[in-house]
Amino acid sequence: MTHIPPPTEELRLLDSELWQLDARRAQLLARRAWLVAALHQAQSAPVAPAAPVAPSASFSPPRPEASAPRVQNVLLLLGGVLLTIAAMVFTLVSWGDLGITARSAVLGAVTLATLAAPVPLLKRGLRSTAESLAGLGLALTVLDAYALHEVALADTDGTAYTAVASAVLAGVWLGYGLLPGTTALRLPLPAALVSAQFPLLLCALAADAGAHGITAALLVTAALDTVVALRMPSGSVRVVAVVGAYGTGSWGALAAGWLSWTATGPSAAARAAALLLLGTTIAVGAAWAGGRTTARTADDQDTGRGQAVGLAVAAGLLAVTALGGTARTVLPDTWTVPAHLACGIALLAVVRAGRLPDALRRGALWASGAVQALAVLWTLPVVSVAVLGASAWAERAWTGAPADTRAAVTPELPWPPDATAVPVVLAAVAAVLALAVRDTAWRPRALVGALCLSWATVMTLPAVLELPYTVGLSVYGVTTAGALVVATLVSPTTDPASESTPSETPQAAHIRLTAAQLALVTSFSLALLSLASQTATLTVLSLLTALFAAAATRTRLAPLTAPAALAHATALACATGAAAGWTAASTALLVLVVPAVAALLAPRLDGPRTTVPVEAMGAAAGLLAIGLAVTDPPLLALVLALCGVITAGTAVRPDRRPLGYAATALFVLATWVRLASWDIATPEAYTLPVTVPALLVGALRRRRDPRASSWIAYGPGLAATLVPSLLAAWGDPGWTRPLLLGAAALAVTLLGARHHLQAPLLLGGSVLALVALHELAPYIAQVAGTLPRWVPPALAGLLLLALGATYEQRIRDVRRVRDVLTRMN
């Protein structure tokens, strides 16, 4: 079927279009002549114009929705389909009404006539009709084969007969398509190739060749399709061949891989390997020929190269599966993955071969990388257990050191099976990345990957080898120190006397950052692992604190190592207090050393990249200290006061002045907690001596600096008395304290309103409102008890309606202002 008509048909269409254009031109000329005559008559006789003569109504024909070639193709396709259905009905239903001679004569005559009809049609240029009849003839040959089986060969095996019939039909259609009079037909050759997909597969099924035989049939069929696809430059035959090659080849490769994986002995594995190598040969041949094929356009060249690389990748994976599957049956299960990895690494030898096409070498490289990536993924469970398995000791700290490192990292998790070869796999891939990758763009990433894999190798060795517990701790500690040393060696030092900082290459920066991060992860795992023993915990945390503190002297490592040193110091303080038998509240005083050290070191550090993490870690340690002291109010007040001192010392720095608010809040909170812990009934006796000097200092501050905020000047002093008194008033059943506090709050509020000060106004007003609410609470509760239940919802509804009306009024005001501005414009 085609959308381009033959020359004779196209000439007829052009003539028809020209005739329509001439007819339309004549109509337009007639209309123009009538309009000219009408205008002349109107100018010569305006009173009694002559009646115009209506022109012949003519309209342009409607635009066709389907072109003539499409209509032709649809009609021919429907005709062929209907004739094919009729032939099938005749063969399947009406066949028994005729004798053997009549049957043969009818089918033979109809088939030969149908197959011969395209020859004269092609000579007359009716190619589409010829294609339709050719398709009908091919369908009739299939019906002939079916009729022959039903009449003469009914006792033969259906699968075997179908295999032979498909082969015969493929040969007949191929010969028919190569005849001198039918070479212009496009349908017979693709149909012959489609029929050729079934003989080998059906023969294997008929002969009961088993899974290996069926797989071989699929792969051989794929090989034949590949040959046809490579020999055909373009056209429908090549498309069918490519689809057949990919389809049968994919099924054959998957079946061969499954046979290799499920092989129980060397013999079965060798047969599966032979099938996989056959698939490898097919893919290599197609990639070789596809990589050397010259295409007409650049897009075709890129597509061909991409397909060649994909085929080369498939060939490499099939070869690795074949060799690795054979080795699997003769090696223990533990070494299955290393065997496949060795085959994948061996593929890199293909990359070094200079005579091979570039597509093959690139495909082998990607296939080797895929095998290595899968091998590394296989090791992840063991690496995860080795690094994070010790976290379960946080709930069973100091319960006793385990026998070996494997027991230490698996107190609750199961040890993965076949983990003996994990360090071997990790070390092999790390060596490949470090030695084999020489490309400038990929070299930094390869070195970072090699560093990570080497670290994972060392982390898994103690658990895999079941080393003693203390040896495992030593290995983890040496790994942490080694990672810091690597980060230090690749990090250039900064001379304080120099005005410039030495430059650092991106490769060195990546390695330095990765090494520092690995050191942090290892130290975290080591700290968790040491929780099994009290002595190990104190020793490990002390060493880690010193180690990271020493590494923090390097300017480029300080943003990571300085906060890590503070974190380990915080953990060491907690462990020291627990080992000494102190309570959690007492231990909080020891933890406060960490924020104090952070506050002292922060101004001496180089830049905000280091200062901010250190101060954040100090703040976190301070919060931890407050949380530890919550159970002991007197110690909590002391901890809050010490935190206020540290925060106030930090607020002295010009860039940290806003921390003065936090320091004030901490001091006030410490005062409140202290008063509450003493069970004082009259807190004013202790707060007023503080409030009066604080207000005097605030007044002096405002006199010297009128721009100073009232919250800084008067907020701490007012809050120091008003808040404790408010808390005491809420628990006082008498009326004297609420009255005096309300009067004081009213006075403070009036002073704030008089002098336009925000802090006295808000603090006094809030305390006055709360005191009034406390005094009116019994009456409000009494009234609420007597009100019906529908009153609160009704009041809420009225409130919402009022808010809605206000909102609507505001919208109306905004629109009115907009209208005024519009009129002004």
Side-chain angles (χ1 to χ4, degrees):
M1 310 296 287
T2 176
H3 297 290
I4 301 176
T8 56
E9 182 66 16
E10 186 176 2
L11 181 60
R12 186 185 64 80
L13 293 174
L14 291 175
D15 292 338
S16 177
E17 293 288 342
L18 291 174
W19 180 84
Q20 292 180 2
L21 290 174
D22 292 338
R24 181 57 177 166
R25 186 172 184 274
Q27 294 172 1
L28 294 175
L29 289 175
R31 178 63 177 176
R32 182 180 182 278
W34 179 84
L35 291 174
V36 172
L39 290 175
H40 284 295
Q41 291 177 3
Q43 293 176 359
S44 60
V47 179
V53 180
S56 59
S58 61
F59 301 95
S60 59
R63 183 180 179 182
E65 296 182 356
S67 61
R70 290 189 177 182
V71 173
Q72 162 197 305
N73 291 337
V74 171
L75 293 178
L76 292 176
L77 179 61
L78 289 176
V81 171
L82 292 176
L83 288 176
T84 303
I85 294 174
M88 292 175 62
V89 172
F90 170 75
T91 304
L92 299 175
V93 179
S94 302
W95 184 258
D97 297 337
L98 301 175
I100 185 61
T101 304
R103 300 172 189 173
S104 302
V106 170
L107 273 181
V110 172
T111 303
L112 291 176
T114 306
L115 292 176
V119 176
L121 293 175
L122 289 174
K123 292 180 180 180
R124 295 189 177 186
L126 303 177
R127 185 171 180 176
S128 299
T129 307
E131 292 284 356
S132 298
L133 291 178
L136 177 59
L138 298 181
L140 288 176
T141 56
V142 177
L143 294 177
D144 290 340
Y146 170 77
L148 180 62
H149 177 268
E150 292 296 323
V151 173
L153 302 174
D155 297 333
T156 60
D157 181 59
T159 305
Y161 178 81
T162 305
V164 175
S166 60
V168 172
L169 289 175
V172 170
W173 294 348
L174 176 61
Y176 178 72
L178 297 178
L179 290 176
T182 58
T183 52
L185 295 175
R186 298 183 179 181
L187 188 57
L189 294 182
L193 188 56
V194 171
S195 181
Q197 305 299 310
F198 303 102
L200 292 178
L201 178 61
L202 294 176
C203 285
L205 292 174
D208 197 11
H212 291 82
I214 295 173
T215 305
L218 289 172
L219 292 175
V220 172
T221 304
L224 297 176
D225 291 332
T226 303
V227 172
V228 173
L230 294 175
R231 292 181 64 88
M232 289 290 177
S234 61
S236 57
V237 178
R238 188 175 187 274
V239 173
V240 174
V242 169
V243 173
Y246 277 112
T248 55
S250 299
W251 281 109
L254 291 175
W258 177 254
L259 291 175
S260 176
W261 182 257
T262 57
T264 56
S267 177
R271 287 184 291 167
L275 295 174
L276 289 170
L277 292 177
L278 175 59
T280 303
T281 304
I282 297 170
V284 168
W288 191 306
R292 293 187 174 184
T293 301
T294 58
R296 296 181 179 179
T297 63
D299 294 338
D300 293 339
Q301 290 179 357
D302 294 339
T303 302
R305 292 195 190 106
Q307 292 177 353
V309 172
L311 290 171
V313 172
L317 295 178
L318 290 176
V320 170
T321 305
L323 300 178
T326 304
R328 180 184 62 83
T329 58
V330 297
L331 294 175
D333 294 340
T334 304
W335 300 100
T336 298
V337 174
H340 286 79
L341 177 62
C343 298
I345 295 175
L347 283 177
L348 295 176
V350 179
V351 181
R352 302 296 180 183
R355 296 183 178 180
L356 294 177
D358 181 67
L360 279 178
R361 291 188 283 111
R362 290 177 58 191
L365 179 62
W366 283 105
S368 177
V371 173
Q372 296 179 57
L374 291 175
V376 172
L377 286 177
W378 174 75
T379 65
L380 287 183
V382 179
V383 176
S384 301
V385 171
V387 175
L388 302 176
S391 58
W393 288 106
E395 299 179 355
R396 54 177 75 180
W398 298 353
T399 56
D404 52 48
T405 308
R406 181 179 295 184
V409 299
T410 56
E412 294 181 356
L413 297 175
W415 181 248
D418 301 331
T420 305
V422 167
V424 177
V425 171
L426 293 171
V429 178
V432 170
L433 291 177
L435 301 176
V437 180
R438 297 296 179 183
D439 185 75
T440 306
W442 289 92
R443 180 68 176 170
R445 304 174 188 177
L447 291 178
V448 170
L451 180 61
C452 294
L453 293 176
S454 301
W455 168 81
T457 303
V458 178
M459 293 294 290
T460 55
L461 272 175
V464 171
L465 300 179
E466 297 184 82
L467 298 179
Y469 175 68
T470 55
V471 176
L473 292 177
S474 302
V475 172
Y476 279 40
V478 172
T479 303
T480 305
L484 289 177
V485 168
V486 171
T488 303
L489 292 178
V490 298
S491 176
T493 58
T494 303
D495 187 5
S498 176
E499 296 181 357
S500 61
T501 302
S503 60
E504 185 179 21
T505 61
Q507 176 177 336
H510 289 309
I511 295 176
R512 172 181 56 80
L513 181 60
T514 303
Q517 292 174 346
L518 293 178
L520 290 178
V521 175
T522 310
S523 66
F524 174 74
S525 180
L526 176 59
L528 292 176
L529 197 64
S530 66
L531 292 177
S533 170
Q534 177 178 326
T535 304
T537 301
L538 297 176
T539 304
V540 166
L541 291 177
S542 300
L543 293 176
L544 289 177
T545 302
L547 184 62
F548 280 94
T553 57
R554 311 292 289 191
T555 304
R556 296 181 183 270
L557 296 180
L560 289 177
T561 54
L566 294 177
H568 291 304
T570 304
L572 177 62
C574 295
T576 303
W582 295 355
T583 62
S586 301
T587 305
L589 298 175
L590 190 59
V591 174
L592 283 179
V593 176
V594 176
V597 173
L600 293 175
L601 291 178
R604 297 171 175 81
L605 298 176
D606 185 15
R609 292 181 62 252
T610 307
T611 303
V612 173
V614 168
E615 291 178 341
M617 191 63 235
L623 291 177
L624 176 62
I626 294 174
L628 292 174
V630 168
T631 56
D632 192 340
L635 277 177
L636 176 60
L638 179 59
V639 169
L640 289 171
L642 293 176
C643 289
V645 172
I646 296 172
T647 307
T650 304
V652 174
R653 294 160 50 192
D655 57 338
R656 294 292 186 269
R657 290 294 171 80
L659 290 179
Y661 297 102
T664 303
L666 288 172
F667 284 131
V668 173
L669 187 60
T671 303
W672 295 345
V673 172
R674 174 60 65 182
L675 294 176
S677 64
W678 284 341
D679 293 332
I680 295 176
T682 56
E684 295 80 5
Y686 299 90
T687 58
L688 285 176
V690 177
T691 297
V692 173
L695 292 178
L696 292 176
V697 172
L700 293 175
R701 172 71 184 277
R702 289 273 298 177
R703 178 173 296 180
R704 293 181 179 180
D705 185 10
R707 294 178 299 177
S709 173
S710 63
W711 289 102
I712 298 177
Y714 306 118
L718 293 175
T721 296
L722 291 178
V723 176
S725 299
L726 178 63
L727 296 176
W730 271 71
D732 191 350
W735 58 272
T736 305
R737 185 189 300 275
L739 178 61
L740 295 176
L741 179 60
L746 178 60
V748 171
T749 304
L750 294 176
L751 288 174
R754 171 67 178 79
H755 297 283
H756 303 284
L757 297 177
Q758 192 178 78
L761 180 64
L762 293 181
L763 287 175
S766 300
V767 171
L768 180 61
L770 292 175
V771 170
L773 179 64
H774 173 265
E775 295 302 312
L776 295 177
Y779 303 101
I780 295 174
Q782 183 178 1
V783 172
T786 58
L787 289 177
R789 295 187 177 182
W790 58 267
V791 174
L795 294 177
L798 292 175
L799 177 62
L800 293 177
L801 289 176
L803 291 176
T806 305
Y807 186 73
E808 184 179 6
Q809 181 64 34
R810 289 179 180 178
I811 293 177
R812 186 180 303 170
D813 295 340
V814 170
R815 290 176 179 174
R816 188 178 302 167
V817 172
R818 184 189 62 187
D819 295 338
V820 171
L821 293 176
T822 303
R823 289 194 298 269
M824 291 174 64
N825 190 24

